[in-house]
Amino acid sequence: MKARSMGGQFTVIEGRAERAEAIRTRLLKAEAEISEREMRHSNALLEETVRQRTCELELANARLQESLKQLQAAQAQLLFADRLATIGQLAAGLGHEINNPLAFIIGNLDYVQQQLVRTAGAATPEEQQEMIEAIADARDGAERVSLIVRDLKVLSHPNDLENGPVDVVASLRSAVKVAAYELRDRATLVEELVSVPPVNGHKVRLCQVFLNLLVNAAHAISPGQAARNEIRISTRMSSSGSVVVEVSDTGCGILPENLERIFNPFFTTKPVGVGTGLGLSVCHGIITALGGEISVRSEMSRGTTFTVTLPVYEAQEEITSRAA
């Protein structure tokens, strides 16, 4: 009887254990199903969130691209306006530069016309030689006018965004021709222009930089002191293989407290109406956009030197092959 009683107790215990195990299994299975549903729900929410964020990023990127285009257009307009403002400041001198050779051309042509009328086509050898020389001089004057107009045309050309190889020396000489009248009464121009490799840049914008630096140098010197002052432009290669351009003057110099602000937009030490305060800021923007640097050193009553450092031009094929 006792054994049977114990056996029946074991059977009851085992039955309870099996039911408990079955309940635990069902509970675990239910928990797993709940967890899986929650995970699927979470994944769906995450995917939807990712889709929404992606759409938002695409819209934000499109807005940024549009803002960038507007910024580039505004920058191009600013650069163009600064060039026109500089040309406007030099307008009287440029008119004089063009009028001088034009008057010379007209005078020589008048002389040739009078000689032809007077001699009725039967000029002596000496008179013929004089007329030939007068026509040759008139041609030289016409070429001078043509060069001035060409340089003005370059500076007044609207901006494009493509950079390429630029001859620094040619750009400097173009700027000198445009600024010649402004420089002539203030200082002797000294050129130390050695041949350097082309730089990676934009011809119009580099010419704009050099013209601004030359005009600033001229304005640092009072008119009528050309014999006692000089403006020096030079080119050389740096130890790191970059092209260096320097524009220096023996003018009034820049106060030490102004040196740190000299490239800030609208900062100027010139009287009202003489400058916009954008010239050096524009120069800084152009040079840094080309991967170069511009710096200044100055000493009161002794002069100022602006140094422009530019990378040498490398064709895209060379860059790609070196990277490979």
Side-chain angles (χ1 to χ4, degrees):
M1 292 296 290
K2 187 175 181 180
R4 284 197 298 271
S5 174
M6 288 181 66
Q9 185 179 7
F10 292 153
T11 301
V12 171
I13 292 173
E14 287 175 1
R16 289 176 179 174
E18 289 174 356
R19 285 195 298 274
E21 183 64 27
I23 292 170
R24 281 197 298 272
T25 301
R26 285 196 297 271
L27 287 173
L28 290 173
K29 185 177 179 180
E31 289 176 357
E33 289 175 352
I34 293 171
S35 297
E36 185 178 355
R37 283 196 299 271
E38 289 178 346
M39 184 178 295
R40 284 199 298 267
H41 181 65
S42 297
N43 286 340
L45 288 176
L46 181 59
E47 288 174 1
E48 180 61 26
T49 302
V50 169
R51 279 194 295 270
Q52 290 178 357
R53 293 292 184 269
T54 302
C55 290
E56 291 172 1
L57 286 173
E58 287 175 350
L59 289 173
N61 187 54
R63 287 194 293 268
L64 284 173
Q65 290 290 339
E66 183 62 28
S67 298
L68 178 60
K69 289 179 181 178
Q70 293 176 359
L71 182 61
Q72 289 174 336
Q75 182 189 38
Q77 291 174 357
L78 175 62
L79 295 176
F80 187 48
D82 176 73
R83 284 205 305 276
L84 293 182
T86 302
I87 293 173
Q89 291 176 14
L90 302 176
L94 288 169
H96 187 79
E97 286 292 294
I98 292 173
N99 280 332
N100 272 351
L102 279 178
F104 187 66
I105 292 167
I106 293 170
N108 280 8
L109 292 177
D110 285 344
Y111 167 76
V112 171
Q113 183 182 34
Q114 291 168 7
Q115 285 293 89
L116 288 174
V117 171
R118 186 180 64 80
T119 60
T124 64
E126 292 79 8
E127 290 171 335
Q128 289 179 1
Q129 183 61 35
E130 287 179 358
M131 285 188 283
I132 290 172
E133 290 176 358
I135 291 173
D137 289 341
R139 179 177 175 80
D140 289 343
E143 288 179 350
R144 182 178 172 190
V145 172
S146 176
L147 290 174
I148 293 172
V149 171
R150 184 198 66 187
D151 293 327
L152 282 174
K153 185 178 179 182
V154 168
L155 279 168
S156 60
H157 194 277
N159 287 311
D160 58 58
L161 299 177
E162 289 190 11
N163 294 331
V166 178
D167 185 338
V168 168
V169 173
S171 292
L172 275 167
R173 285 180 172 149
S174 291
V176 166
K177 289 173 190 172
V178 176
Y181 188 76
E182 193 77 10
L183 305 178
R184 188 174 300 136
D185 191 40
R186 299 172 185 263
T188 301
L189 180 67
V190 179
E191 297 185 11
E192 297 177 343
L193 304 178
V194 301
S195 179
V196 292
V199 301
N200 183 46
H202 186 286
K203 180 179 179 181
V204 176
R205 293 182 181 178
L206 276 183
C207 190
Q208 179 178 358
V209 169
F210 299 145
L211 179 60
N212 275 332
L213 295 181
L214 285 167
V215 170
N216 274 353
H219 288 174
I221 301 169
S222 300
Q225 302 182 28
R228 298 198 300 272
N229 289 282
E230 71 174 30
I231 292 174
R232 184 179 298 268
I233 57 175
S234 64
T235 55
R236 59 181 171 83
M237 296 297 296
S238 71
S239 58
S240 61
S242 298
V243 172
V244 178
V245 179
E246 288 191 339
V247 179
S248 61
D249 63 71
T250 55
C252 60
I254 302 170
L255 290 169
E257 58 266 29
N258 290 337
L259 281 176
E260 293 183 359
R261 306 166 59 198
I262 202 71
F263 295 114
N264 291 351
F266 302 108
F267 175 78
T268 180
T269 58
K270 297 177 183 178
V272 176
V274 176
T276 62
L278 284 174
L280 290 176
S281 173
V282 167
C283 290
H284 185 271
I286 291 173
I287 296 303
T288 53
L290 295 175
E293 297 178 355
I294 181 170
S295 60
V296 58
R297 62 182 187 276
S298 184
E299 188 175 346
M300 291 301 298
S301 302
R302 295 183 66 86
T304 302
T305 297
F306 284 91
T307 302
V308 176
T309 305
L310 292 163
V312 172
Y313 174 77
E314 294 183 80
Q316 188 61 42
E317 294 80 8
E318 295 177 6
I319 299 173
T320 304
S321 62
R322 189 166 60 249

